[in-house]
Each structure stands twice: as structure tokens, then as C-alpha cells.
Amino acid sequence: FVLLPRAVKPLLGLQPLPHGPTRDRLEATATRLNFRYTALLLWPTRGAVANALVLGIVPWARYVIFTDRLLETMDEYELDAVLGHEVGHA
């Protein structure tokens, strides 16, 4: 159960969130919230899904996942709110 997130990563084709201002801002927000995770990941859905999720209960096997459409349609403040929401789930 603890290792499930690592198994899901290749099944969904999850990729590291590309380096850039969006990733930098999300990392800074996670640090400010004292939220530990393994990686911020991109779920390429070809624009079909706008969603985010946190997967994993322990920080060393915890991923925060954002779909491509969510990243394309939300501004930086909305993405901060989405991350805060996901942190609340964890």
C-alpha cells in the first residue's frame, strides 16, 4: 500500500513537472506550507482532464500530480489554491 504511488507513476505515464516559473512557485508554496513530497508530476491527458491529486501517505513516496489541462487553464494563484487543497488531503 505504501509503495502503490511508485507503481502508478509508469502506468499513468506521469512525468516530472517541467522546470520553470510554475514549478518554482509550486515548490515555494509547498515549502511555505511545510509540505513534504517526493515529486511534482505532470499527467499528460492531451487536454482531456483538468484535475490534481496527491498520491501517497508517506513523504518519501508521495506525489502531487497535475494534469496538463489544469496547468494550462489556471493562473498562478489558482494553482497555489489547488496545491493547498491537495496538501489538506494529505
Side-chain angles (χ1 to χ4, degrees):
F1 183 70
V2 173
L3 298 176
L4 178 67
R6 293 184 183 211
V8 170
K9 188 177 174 185
L11 291 174
L12 294 178
L14 303 175
Q15 306 165 358
L17 197 65
H19 291 283
T22 299
R23 180 177 170 161
D24 293 343
R25 183 177 179 96
L26 290 170
E27 288 175 343
T29 300
T31 299
R32 193 170 56 251
L33 295 172
N34 198 29
F35 180 67
R36 297 180 310 153
Y37 58 93
T38 301
L40 298 172
L41 299 175
L42 169 66
W43 182 5
T45 66
R46 298 183 187 163
V49 178
N51 204 355
L53 58 129
V54 63
L55 187 60
I57 57 174
V58 293
W60 54 266
R62 181 184 297 148
Y63 299 117
V64 183
I65 303 164
F66 299 89
T67 62
D68 47 4
R69 184 169 181 188
L70 189 82
L71 293 170
E72 292 167 1
T73 58
M74 292 194 153
D75 67 29
E76 58 191 20
Y77 300 107
E78 291 170 323
L79 289 173
D80 283 348
V82 168
L83 179 59
H85 175 88
E86 297 308 322
V87 168
H89 285 296

